[in-house]
Amino acid sequence: MAGEGMIPLRPGLEGVPVAESAISFIDGKRARLSYRGYAVEELARKSCYEEVAWLLLRGELPTQRELADFDRQLRSHRRIKYRLRDLLKCLPETGHPMGALQAAVAALGMFYPARDVSHAPTNWESVIRILAKMPTIVAAFHRLRNGDDDLPPRDDLDHAGNFYWMLFEREPSPAIRKVLDACFILHAEHTMNASTFAGRVAASTLADPYTVVSAAIGALTGPLHGGANEQVLDMLEEIGSVENVRPWLKEALAKKRKIMGFGHRVYKVKDPRATVLQELAEHLFAETGRPKLYDVALELERAAAEELGPKGIYPNVDFYSGIIYMSLGIPKDLFTPIFAISRVAGWLAHWLEQLQNNRIFRPEQIYVGKPDRAYVPLEERP
Ligand code: ACO
């Protein structure tokens, strides 16, 4: 029942602003994405994740001293308590690592209570802890579920290099480190997407930042959002060969299947992050070898451009990220957790921004249920 003066329903809140934000900007027609005014392509090529995280959180590029200090703080907070490791050990090894990440981040909030969100120094400590510990949690869960000991973080490696080390117990080559770092940058923030909105809704209740981030992680798991990168690889494996792309696509579209890694609520052209990722992938393949699935992906992009391009449906960020991670030897179910450990910089920036001018989110609904009626006692019901 629409109330008097009620705004008409916009499914999925399409086109409805829910906050003012100074963190990132998308021009979906011109394939532009910027963080605090800086083009994401330039950041991916020239910056590093630590610097981008600072930029998102603080609004400006850091000075050399600020960056060195921030980096030092991140390195010194990477370790996780043994009881948190015990928690990870108790989780089923067949469970999805996003579940483990969400549970562990929520549990972190019990180890480091931060319920007074009006205290700026405590908020900043939480930011550092969450950013620094999420990669450790993901790597530890992955190793523990395989029956291996988790590896303590290495303070002499940067954010991306250390994550790679904790997964594989070997240092990445400079090209691999660069590609992983750039993936972190490209996934770090993306305006008011579903997980960021989920985080901001939780933030608006003045929940602590661990709860805010775990709410955002939950929203990221779905296949229409962060979970798509895993499904892209399943789809490319199902297609199997370049020759099969066009018949597969025809059948998939006839059955009204969604082509994973394609389409975006905001971009009606190719996602600029997909373009940079593709460039990075080609550099990486010079070192790791060109996977067959990459050629399948290129052919799918070409074929889909003919079928879906007229509707403004082009590859999004998830289309190429999975192929990059696969060629680094990263298992499929870690793709979305890697998205989360990147995006957490954006989530935390939105958390801090929400607190600056907070009002609890409490939207309306349009009631479509039964009108008022009298209760019928159980014994009188037919
Ligand atoms: N394959 C085929 N058709 C598509 C696709 C796709 N990937 N995406 C949209 N369409 C079609 C829909 O079928 C619909 O067609 P219709 O008007 O004939 O019914 C039309 O385009 C509009 O689609 P919606 O789903 O309503 O668009 P919306 O803006 O709500 O959804 C979304 C955007 C969820 C990303 C969608 O494009 C999709 O499901 N893509 C596949 C999953 C994916 O890659 N998600 C990752 C997004 S990026 C990220 O979260 C990091």
Side-chain angles (χ1 to χ4, degrees):
M1 228 177 291
E4 217 172 287
M6 196 181 267
I7 300 166
L9 178 69
R10 300 288 290 269
L13 292 182
E14 181 166 4
V16 179
V18 294
E20 287 187 338
S21 180
I23 302 170
S24 62
F25 175 74
I26 300 175
D27 181 338
K29 292 200 187 91
R30 292 191 184 82
R32 286 198 194 137
L33 166 65
S34 58
Y35 297 166
R36 303 282 190 186
Y38 296 98
V40 74
E41 294 91 331
E42 198 176 9
L43 294 170
R45 290 185 189 115
K46 301 182 184 164
S47 184
C48 63
Y49 181 74
E50 293 83 331
E51 181 174 66
V52 167
W54 175 280
L55 172 70
L56 292 169
L57 290 157
R58 305 294 279 249
E60 295 296 335
L61 287 170
T63 61
Q64 284 185 25
R65 200 181 163 152
E66 284 168 339
L67 182 58
D69 191 45
F70 182 54
D71 186 28
R72 187 185 49 71
Q73 286 186 53
L74 287 175
R75 288 177 196 232
S76 68
H77 280 93
R78 285 176 181 160
R79 280 165 186 71
I80 54 172
K81 289 187 185 291
Y82 77 88
R83 289 171 72 188
L84 197 70
R85 278 213 307 280
D86 287 351
L87 182 145
L88 294 174
K89 278 184 200 158
C90 292
L91 298 172
E93 64 268 22
T94 49
H96 199 285
M98 281 298 273
L101 180 62
Q102 187 178 22
V105 169
L108 267 185
M110 300 172 76
F111 290 106
Y112 306 101
R115 300 188 76 168
D116 178 7
V117 294
S118 66
H119 191 243
T122 309
N123 288 353
W124 187 245
E125 276 171 27
S126 303
V127 163
I128 300 276
R129 282 204 174 96
I130 294 171
L131 273 173
K133 293 185 197 301
M134 275 179 52
T136 315
I137 291 169
V138 171
F141 178 70
H142 174 59
R143 291 189 64 91
L144 293 167
R145 70 176 169 168
N146 286 334
D148 295 325
D149 280 330
D150 56 320
L151 294 169
R154 289 251 313 258
D155 297 350
D156 59 325
L157 296 175
D158 70 359
H159 202 69
N162 171 60
F163 177 62
Y164 187 90
W165 165 265
M166 291 188 298
L167 277 184
F168 299 118
E169 203 171 4
R170 57 175 190 272
E171 287 181 30
S173 69
I176 291 178
R177 196 213 62 79
K178 174 66 203 159
V179 95
L180 197 53
D181 188 58
C183 287
F184 284 176
I185 293 173
L186 291 168
H187 287 85
E189 159 63 11
H190 207 233
T191 75
M192 199 56 69
N193 54 87
S195 56
T196 301
F197 182 46
R200 277 190 89 130
V201 171
S204 80
T205 69
L206 302 184
D208 71 68
Y210 300 93
T211 307
V212 168
V213 171
S214 71
I217 293 171
L220 188 70
T221 56
L224 295 186
H225 191 14
N229 53 15
E230 224 181 290
Q231 301 214 351
V232 169
L233 221 61
D234 291 338
M235 176 186 76
L236 295 175
E237 282 165 358
E238 183 190 323
I239 298 173
S241 69
V242 170
E243 299 68 49
N244 194 30
V245 165
R246 284 171 195 266
W248 180 91
L249 181 65
K250 209 168 162 217
E251 195 186 330
L253 292 177
K255 287 186 179 153
K256 301 236 169 281
R257 263 180 81 173
K258 283 246 174 114
I259 314 305
M260 299 318 273
F262 278 78
H264 200 278
R265 175 66 62 78
V266 187
Y267 296 115
K268 298 304 164 204
V269 290
K270 185 169 172 178
D271 183 334
R273 300 167 298 172
T275 308
V276 184
L277 279 174
Q278 194 177 350
E279 229 179 81
L280 289 166
E282 297 202 358
H283 278 125
L284 179 71
F285 299 155
E287 182 172 317
T288 58
R290 188 181 167 102
K292 189 176 135 205
L293 289 188
Y294 183 59
D295 292 314
V296 175
L298 289 179
E299 179 61 10
L300 182 59
E301 181 177 349
R302 272 190 293 271
E306 293 160 23
E307 303 285 339
L308 298 171
K311 286 172 91 177
I313 298 168
Y314 288 96
N316 59 49
V317 67
D318 286 328
F319 192 58
Y320 287 108
S321 62
I323 302 178
I324 291 181
Y325 297 144
M326 179 197 74
S327 61
L328 295 182
I330 296 174
K332 250 188 274 179
D333 64 359
L334 291 191
F335 297 174
T336 319
I338 293 177
F339 191 157
I341 65 183
S342 317
R343 180 58 58 84
V344 68
W347 291 334
L348 289 167
H350 279 271
W351 168 57
L352 294 174
E353 187 173 70
Q354 181 68 31
L355 292 180
Q356 279 167 22
N357 194 9
N358 187 51
R359 190 158 188 229
I360 190 168
F361 277 102
R362 201 330 177 170
E364 269 298 344
Q365 62 166 17
I366 296 172
Y367 181 64
V368 294
K370 305 272 191 224
D372 288 351
R373 47 193 173 154
Y375 177 77
V376 181
L378 184 58
E379 59 282 6
E380 291 172 24
R381 279 177 231 158

